[in-house]
Amino acid sequence: MCGIVGYIGDRDCADVLVDALSKLEYRGYDSAGIAVFDKGTIKVEKCKGRLINLVNKMELEGKPNGHCGIGHTRWATHGEPSDINSHPHGNKRVSIVHNGIIENYKQIKDFLIGEGYSFVSETDTETVAKLLDYYYVDDPIDTIIKVISEIKGSYALGIMFRDYPDRIFAVRKESPLIVGVGENENFLASDVPAIIKYTRDYYLLEADEIAVVKKDGVSIYNTHKEPVKKEINTADWDVDAAEKGGYEHFMLKEIYEQPSAVRDTISHRITDGMPDFSNDGIDMEQLKKYRQIFIVGCGTAMHAGMVGQYVIEKLARIPVIVDIASEFRYRDPLITDKDLLIVISQSGETADTLAVLRLAKEVNAATMAIVNVVGSSIAREADMVVYTHAGPEISVASTKAYMVQISVMYLLAFELAYLNGAISEEMCRKLTEELKSMPDIIKETLELKDTCSYVASKLMNAESLLYIGRGLDYALSMEGSLKLKEISYIHSESYAAGELKHGTISLITDGMPVIAVATQKKLIEKTISNIKEVKARGARVVLICADGVEVGEDVADYIIRLPQVDEQLMPMVAAAPLQLIAYYTSVLKGNDVDKPRNLAKSVTVE
Ligand code: F6R
């Protein structure tokens, strides 16, 4: 949420900042701004709307001219999107960009008003800028240390002091921030895609470490003002990974990257045909001893957890509770040191998921994170980390991250089931072999794109629709429905098919679309009965089922047939068509697929 960048070097700073921000727009896109040292003063340009509005504004009015500055793309928390509320904030002496939420901003603001300060915006960020100004005498580091000792909440801050035009300052807590290390130029960024074009090397800042970023070097200090020595990280993917590469949207590109993402995620976790997490440093013998497993995440990541719940319980016979992070953290959960918590997160920065991880650690539960972003907060704080290898996911709607998350869930389930004696070695090998074939099967399902586009054309004018399924198909329907609503803006709900007649079926009206997912043989007859119930009430049904399943052609108005694999694995087969239906519906409606309204990637606030 909110993207921060910073630059110092020989290039045109405004150009670099805008270019870097364009790679972070997925973090927030309701306004954008930059501040650049221009002939000894801090020159600020900012405005409401997408980054392109800022670019157009600077084309008309002229851009700041210099080689050192900071930039921001905003996802509004305090105050509506407007020119005034856009970052950077500050005054002639100090300018800042901020990602996060300052919880005690009201007290600070009242205090500063008492000291004679006035405020122009509704943001919490402006209070930090003015507090920096208030404490600033001549030493920026002392000032930053003082300010971070007073502010509460989450922050990643890029800071400029007028008296120090040869450097930018940065500090973070809870919100992510990296310092990119180039040759005779250095960078700040919320995420690697912003800087990958310029450098793959970066420092990860720990909480409350203060970075002083100059053209020829980076110094990092702790809150006692002592220098901190840090290892440089190197991103293992290249510029192409953060570009659209000929696809119309990142979402489509990411859907098509799923076969390779799954391959990259599972192949080095299979040895001699058996799951193997030893390279992740995980002691599986220990893992199977936990009383129960909690799987927690938000949105799509939680839906991946639902698939995990089904397969771990079914195969390994270990009780699993799956929950939404924002609920779990406040329910006073019954988690103890005898339990294992698995958190799932693409970004590794989701505030609620991180809070759940910390809560579990407080009670000494074992914690495992399934995370995509290397070095993210969740990855750093969990006892065990299983990295997914999806590469950067830029589109706000998550696709390939989901696919790799469930692939890890399967491998874990297979190994736990085998170690528990719930399945034989032969069965474990068979399932693992089948999982290994999934990249090819997913590729096959991508050939259904025209079918999905046709279905989308039938859905695009609907006001509301339902997704129904049972068991694993219900978990999948949840994800299909979320994908559709977030990018097409069509209201949709996912219901357990058997639950419809307990209330929801009253919503069915003539012509209402219902997408029924029925990939589980044992449950197909039941789901078909539910389909008949909705059809009898006028619904237009799209049935998604496996190839081998015998269903009468008249059961549904449209049938999408998927390659048949072991039915435990069918979510990996059905996910891509569901994503494609959502994608094409959004495209046909003319929506901004990669940056849907009101959303942002990486939800670093509660
Ligand atoms: C939906 C989507 C979100 C995220 C959720 C968790 O397409 O992307 O629902 O899945 O915000 O994000 P991470 O996985 O970064 O914790």
Side-chain angles (χ1 to χ4, degrees):
M1 249 163 199
C2 295
I4 289 182
V5 296
Y7 176 73
I8 180 155
D10 291 329
R11 303 177 201 248
D12 181 290
C13 183
D15 287 351
V16 176
L17 294 177
V18 166
D19 175 60
L21 284 177
S22 73
K23 304 292 184 300
L24 289 187
E25 259 206 299
Y26 62 86
R27 299 183 65 88
Y29 30 86
D30 55 41
S31 56
I34 62 171
V36 175
F37 280 113
D38 185 348
K39 299 181 202 76
T41 64
I42 300 175
K43 194 159 174 216
V44 175
E45 287 293 344
K46 56 184 183 174
C47 68
K48 180 183 161 179
R50 300 281 160 99
L51 184 62
I52 188 70
N53 295 7
L54 177 70
V55 172
N56 292 340
K57 182 169 184 260
M58 292 197 295
E59 248 167 42
L60 275 177
E61 298 170 7
K63 62 181 181 190
N65 198 358
H67 302 280
C68 174
I70 53 180
H72 190 262
T73 174
R74 178 170 186 246
W75 188 85
T77 56
H78 294 60
E80 58 171 10
S82 70
D83 290 356
I84 299 264
N85 287 334
S86 310
H87 301 208
H89 287 283
N91 55 21
K92 288 195 169 111
R93 292 208 309 166
V94 185
S95 187
I96 72 166
V97 287
H98 167 223
N99 168 26
I101 287 187
I102 306 302
E103 286 158 7
N104 58 341
Y105 87 101
K106 186 80 180 69
Q107 293 95 301
I108 298 172
K109 191 168 181 176
D110 290 345
F111 164 75
L112 289 169
I113 289 171
E115 294 295 313
Y117 279 83
S118 56
F119 287 81
V120 292
S121 78
E122 300 155 88
T123 64
D124 50 343
T125 304
E126 192 182 358
T127 59
V128 181
K130 302 273 160 85
L131 193 63
L132 282 162
D133 182 76
Y134 175 75
Y135 283 123
Y136 177 60
V137 181
D138 54 10
D139 187 327
I141 297 181
D142 286 343
T143 310
I144 292 169
I145 291 171
K146 180 76 184 141
V147 166
I148 59 176
S149 74
E150 294 195 2
I151 57 178
K152 293 197 173 67
S154 55
Y155 46 84
L157 294 165
I159 310 169
M160 295 161 70
F161 289 87
R162 182 195 54 196
D163 303 340
Y164 292 85
D166 63 341
R167 63 198 80 175
I168 47 183
F169 299 85
V171 65
R172 69 164 282 271
K173 191 170 137 199
E174 311 287 321
S175 303
L177 198 58
I178 59 171
V179 180
V181 183
E183 264 187 41
N184 234 8
E185 59 180 357
N186 291 305
F187 304 81
L188 272 188
S190 299
D191 205 352
V192 178
I195 55 164
I196 194 81
K197 181 169 156 189
Y198 308 99
T199 179
R200 293 158 66 131
D201 296 335
Y202 62 94
Y203 291 115
L204 281 164
L205 290 181
E206 296 295 336
D208 285 343
E209 283 178 348
I210 299 155
V212 182
V213 186
K214 297 195 205 170
K215 179 179 157 186
D216 56 0
V218 176
S219 319
I220 296 171
Y221 301 90
N222 62 21
T223 47
H224 304 292
K225 218 178 166 181
E226 295 154 350
V228 179
K229 246 190 127 28
K230 291 185 80 74
E231 297 272 307
I232 287 202
N233 298 269
T234 303
D236 61 1
W237 40 269
D238 57 22
V239 186
D240 293 347
E243 302 288 343
K244 281 193 203 144
Y247 287 89
E248 201 181 334
H249 298 101
F250 278 111
M251 182 173 174
L252 192 60
K253 176 182 178 233
E254 288 160 8
I255 289 172
Y256 273 80
E257 283 172 344
Q258 294 183 112
S260 58
V262 169
R263 194 172 290 117
D264 292 349
T265 300
I266 61 170
S267 56
H268 62 286
R269 296 192 171 107
I270 298 174
T271 308
D272 297 334
M274 291 290 277
D276 177 5
F277 287 89
S278 56
N279 287 336
D280 299 294
I282 293 171
D283 177 357
M284 291 299 289
E285 284 292 342
Q286 175 59 32
L287 224 56
K288 69 172 201 202
K289 293 192 182 127
Y290 295 108
R291 189 186 61 155
Q292 65 179 351
I293 300 176
F294 293 86
I295 306 181
V296 181
C298 300
T300 290
M302 194 280 287
H303 295 158
M306 286 176 75
V307 173
Q309 179 189 35
Y310 278 102
V311 289
I312 294 174
E313 285 198 338
K314 173 128 207 276
L315 294 173
R317 311 307 290 164
I318 300 171
V320 180
I321 291 177
V322 67
D323 208 349
I324 298 166
S326 55
E327 286 294 312
F328 187 83
R329 65 182 289 194
Y330 292 117
R331 76 160 83 257
D332 201 0
L334 293 170
I335 182 167
T336 70
D337 59 358
K338 296 188 176 45
D339 302 320
L340 168 68
L341 170 79
I342 302 179
V343 286
I344 306 181
S345 176
Q346 187 285 128
S347 63
E349 299 293 347
T350 303
D352 285 316
T353 311
L354 182 58
V356 167
L357 175 64
R358 289 177 180 163
L359 182 151
K361 291 189 81 168
E362 265 170 35
V363 298
N364 293 322
T367 57
M368 176 192 287
I370 298 175
V371 179
N372 196 42
V373 176
V374 176
S376 54
S377 303
I378 290 174
R380 281 186 282 176
E381 294 190 25
D383 302 331
M384 299 165 261
V385 185
V386 178
Y387 279 116
T388 52
H389 295 278
E393 192 179 61
I394 309 286
S395 176
V396 166
S398 186
T399 52
K400 60 177 177 171
Y402 173 77
M403 196 66 98
V404 292
Q405 286 159 358
I406 60 177
S407 70
V408 169
M409 290 275 92
Y410 281 114
L411 265 190
L412 275 175
F414 299 164
E415 181 149 26
L416 282 171
Y418 168 62
L419 293 175
N420 253 359
I423 60 169
S424 63
E425 181 179 332
E426 192 193 347
M427 176 57 90
C428 188
R429 284 186 188 283
K430 185 177 161 291
L431 287 167
T432 308
E433 189 56 33
E434 192 130 22
L435 182 64
K436 259 173 87 178
S437 70
M438 290 317 292
D440 291 335
I441 307 279
I442 297 167
K443 218 183 214 160
E444 216 179 308
T445 65
L446 293 173
E447 282 163 21
L448 290 165
K449 79 176 191 15
D450 292 340
T451 305
C452 297
S453 160
Y454 173 77
V455 169
S457 72
K458 301 288 168 203
L459 301 180
M460 62 176 287
N461 294 318
E463 266 180 29
S464 182
L465 66 128
L466 285 182
Y467 283 74
I468 58 171
R470 288 169 177 260
L472 275 170
D473 291 329
Y474 172 52
L476 199 55
S477 302
M478 294 283 288
E479 178 54 11
S481 168
L482 175 64
K483 219 76 312 167
L484 184 85
K485 70 185 132 200
E486 68 177 323
I487 58 172
S488 76
Y489 315 146
I490 298 174
H491 171 253
S492 95
E493 295 296 334
S494 167
Y495 258 80
E499 183 67 7
L500 275 185
K501 50 183 155 313
H502 298 287
T504 311
I505 201 162
S506 69
L507 289 176
I508 304 285
T509 50
D510 211 23
M512 181 177 181
V514 171
I515 299 192
V517 188
T519 66
Q520 306 294 300
K521 271 196 197 125
K522 211 172 76 191
L523 297 168
I524 190 137
E525 289 305 327
K526 308 273 174 211
T527 308
I528 285 180
S529 301
N530 301 130
I531 293 175
K532 288 192 173 147
E533 288 157 10
V534 293
K535 260 191 92 62
R537 286 156 182 85
R540 279 185 297 137
V541 177
V542 177
L543 170 63
I544 301 182
C545 64
D547 225 355
V549 177
E550 276 186 31
V551 286
E553 287 304 314
D554 58 342
V555 158
D557 296 87
Y558 201 81
I559 301 182
I560 300 181
R561 292 188 180 274
L562 304 170
Q564 173 80 67
V565 297
D566 184 292
E567 55 186 44
Q568 313 284 335
L569 288 162
M570 282 308 287
M572 294 192 77
V573 184
L578 287 169
Q579 295 161 350
L580 285 168
I581 289 172
Y583 171 77
Y584 284 114
T585 309
S586 177
V587 171
L588 288 170
K589 292 192 77 178
N591 295 348
D592 189 341
V593 177
D594 287 333
K595 298 196 259 315
R597 72 182 176 212
N598 303 340
L599 289 170
K601 203 148 184 88
S602 187
V603 184
T604 51
V605 296
E606 262 196 68

